[in-house]
Amino acid sequence: MTQVTEHGGGVWSLRVPIPDNPLGHTLVHVLDTDRGPVLVDTGWDDPDSWSELTAGLGALGLGPGDIHGVVITHHHPDHHGLSGRVREESGAWIAMHAADTAVVRRTRESDPGTWLDYLARKLAAAGAPEDHLAPLRAARSGGRMRTLPGLGAALPDRDIVPGELLALAGRRLRAVWTPGHTPGHVCLHLEEKHPGGLPGHGRLFSGDHLLPGISPHIGLYEDPDDATVTDPLGDYLDSLERIGRLGVAEVLPAHQHAFPDAAGRVRELLDHHEERLSGLLALLTVPLTPWQLAERMEWNRPWDRIPYGSRNIAVSEAEAHIRRLVKLGRAEALTGTEPVAYVAV
């Protein structure tokens, strides 16, 4: 497929690979401004990814040193990973929502083993079997954390403020806070007439919030030092409805491809999650721990074929759905169970 796609009106997307990931690549968007090009996301911090990013910029007659600024939709390494490298090459500023900047700061400042300890505790509380916990404990004792992504991510130097226009000369790019996939995820509404004349109100850089063919992962927000009971799935569903009301002409996501009819896609995702919640209630006619629920949920492959790390993500997603059901009064924790089991009300 073509590495560089022109979307018109001074917007391009560059395909930047994600190593060893079924998503394949991140779509890094280049937005022309009166003070120079601005990137929306940057891609994974990997030598091949950097080579592809620089090659894509080269096809536009640009180099990394020409970048004026970097706007990050969320802190995940396939979006924020190369931001620091771009800043080193160009002196560009980096902007991110404060909630995700806090995640970056916390990760940078924490001892790496803290995250393994936290993950092991969370999985044990979710009902993970000992054979799943053993590799985490072995990695902790062997000090094998320092190669994981995100530990050295760049600290942003500007806040993205929800509802406000970003300070981009000659462009109208408004931040829309869309928590769910991460606590500080933002979509970016380009409030300019669509260059191809599509009906609607501008275009939307949607990050991972709104994708044409897949539903983004919605798990628990991870913070070892915060016991606040959050509701990421509820945040996501509320954010979806807010995006659906914008009436944009076209969506420019960070994966897959650009697409029209954001409102239609929002409806599909709202229906998908309602069906999934109903399906989980049917499973919870008997008490189940989050791990047991994840084992029984429908994924893109059977549970016994899901890789180790992906099982951790699946359990977090099961927990987010349980938390939503509890908040809605449709499920409850069963008193006296350890690990805690849940049952439909």
Side-chain angles (χ1 to χ4, degrees), residues 102-155:
V103 176
V104 173
R105 181 175 290 107
R106 184 170 64 244
T107 305
R108 286 170 55 98
E109 294 175 354
S110 296
D111 178 85
T114 299
W115 292 99
L116 279 178
D117 293 339
Y118 173 71
L119 183 57
R121 289 196 307 272
K122 290 286 290 181
L123 286 166
E130 181 57 35
D131 62 355
H132 187 85
L133 300 175
L136 290 172
R137 295 179 176 135
R140 175 69 167 98
S141 60
R144 297 197 299 271
M145 267 293 275
R146 298 193 180 277
T147 60
L148 294 184
L151 295 177
L155 271 174

Side-chain angles (χ1 to χ4, degrees), residues 175-200:
V176 184
W177 184 34
T178 51
H181 185 57
T182 70
H185 191 292
V186 292
C187 293
L188 301 154
H189 187 194
L190 190 60
E191 299 177 337
E192 301 169 11
K193 184 178 178 180
H194 190 280
L198 290 180

